[in-house]
Amino acid sequence: MKAIKGKIVELSQEKGFGYIVPTTGRLRVRFKFDDYIESKKSIAVGEEVLFRIVKDESGQGKAIDIQRVRHCRLSLVAAIWFALAMVGCVLYFQYPIEVLVYYSVINVLVWLVCWLDKRASVAGRPVTGESALLFLSLIGGWVAGAIAPYFFKSAPRSALYKMFFVLVIAMQFSFFTWSLSPKGESWVNQKITHIYQTQGAVFSKR
């Protein structure tokens, strides 16, 4: 039987089953967690899945061979392109390596936050709020913010979060493009020089 596309609408963690609503209909189809092909820890309400329907022992339909629908997210493509572009600019166009180091540190931090959130979600504990994640993305951690949810198979974010995340990506690309211009390059170098001078003054006082 051809695979059907649908969305998980309800889960019962205690009983180990849930319900899927096919895209082409409104009738809910029951499924057992054991019929979810991928890790059971990644099952989440709102997740789009592919599945087949067969009859169970009582003659009712049930979903089997369930797997997530893999989307090629534009934010994921943008994050990979941004990271490669910045590394390329540092290697071939003398872009300040300090900027790359900063982005690397903040994105490692966001990756760690997403990893801890995944563990907390599985254990039923509170996770980092969307506003905090947006702030970390705004100050440079958006690359990990785009890749980590795909890698860890995190639960879908709210529509409002996705809207602001797109704005953050646009701002980051605009800043990066501007920093490659003569005026932007001069401003970035001035800031880096100021930081070095400030740190040097602090160490000299000590």
Side-chain angles (χ1 to χ4, degrees):
M1 182 180 178
K2 185 179 179 181
I4 303 171
K5 186 177 180 181
K7 182 179 291 186
I8 297 175
V9 295
E10 184 179 337
L11 294 174
S12 177
Q13 298 290 347
E14 299 80 10
K15 298 180 180 180
F17 69 84
Y19 291 93
I20 302 172
V21 172
T23 305
T24 56
R26 297 181 179 179
L27 188 64
R28 301 197 310 172
V29 182
R30 182 171 171 168
F31 75 95
K32 293 182 179 180
F33 288 3
D34 292 337
D35 291 319
Y36 195 82
I37 293 177
E38 302 178 55
S39 171
K40 298 178 181 61
K41 296 179 179 179
S42 65
I43 302 176
V45 173
E47 198 73 61
E48 289 188 335
V49 293
L50 292 173
F51 63 98
R52 294 191 302 112
I53 298 179
V54 297
K55 290 186 177 180
D56 58 16
E57 297 79 5
S58 61
Q60 295 182 335
K62 70 172 184 177
I64 62 170
D65 299 336
I66 307 158
Q67 56 184 318
R68 296 181 67 191
V69 175
R70 297 291 183 180
H71 296 287
C72 183
R73 301 174 182 172
L74 291 178
S75 60
L76 182 63
V77 175
I80 295 174
W81 187 93
F82 184 89
L84 293 176
M86 181 166 288
V87 171
C89 287
V90 170
L91 292 178
Y92 300 107
F93 300 105
Q94 297 181 337
Y95 192 78
I97 193 173
E98 291 85 355
V99 178
L100 177 60
V101 171
Y102 169 78
Y103 269 92
S104 299
V105 171
I106 192 66
N107 278 281
V108 168
L109 173 62
V110 173
W111 188 274
L112 178 61
V113 169
C114 292
W115 176 71
L116 292 173
D117 278 350
K118 181 61 180 180
R119 290 171 60 89
S121 177
V122 172
R125 299 193 301 269
V127 298
T128 306
E130 291 185 345
S131 57
L133 290 175
L134 283 172
F135 173 75
L136 291 173
S137 297
L138 182 62
I139 62 175
W142 74 273
V143 175
I147 299 176
Y150 185 84
F151 183 85
F152 292 124
K153 303 176 183 178
S154 304
R157 302 290 182 185
S158 68
L160 187 62
Y161 174 89
K162 293 177 181 178
M163 181 184 70
F164 278 108
F165 193 75
V166 170
L167 291 176
V168 168
I169 294 176
M171 292 172 63
Q172 290 290 329
F173 266 91
S174 298
F175 173 77
F176 180 59
T177 303
W178 176 75
S179 69
L180 295 175
S181 67
K183 184 177 181 179
E185 182 182 4
S186 175
W187 183 87
V188 171
N189 287 327
Q190 287 178 4
K191 292 298 180 182
I192 293 173
T193 302
H194 176 72
I195 292 172
Y196 278 130
Q197 291 175 346
T198 303
Q199 293 298 322
V202 171
F203 281 116
S204 63
K205 288 181 179 179
R206 291 181 179 177

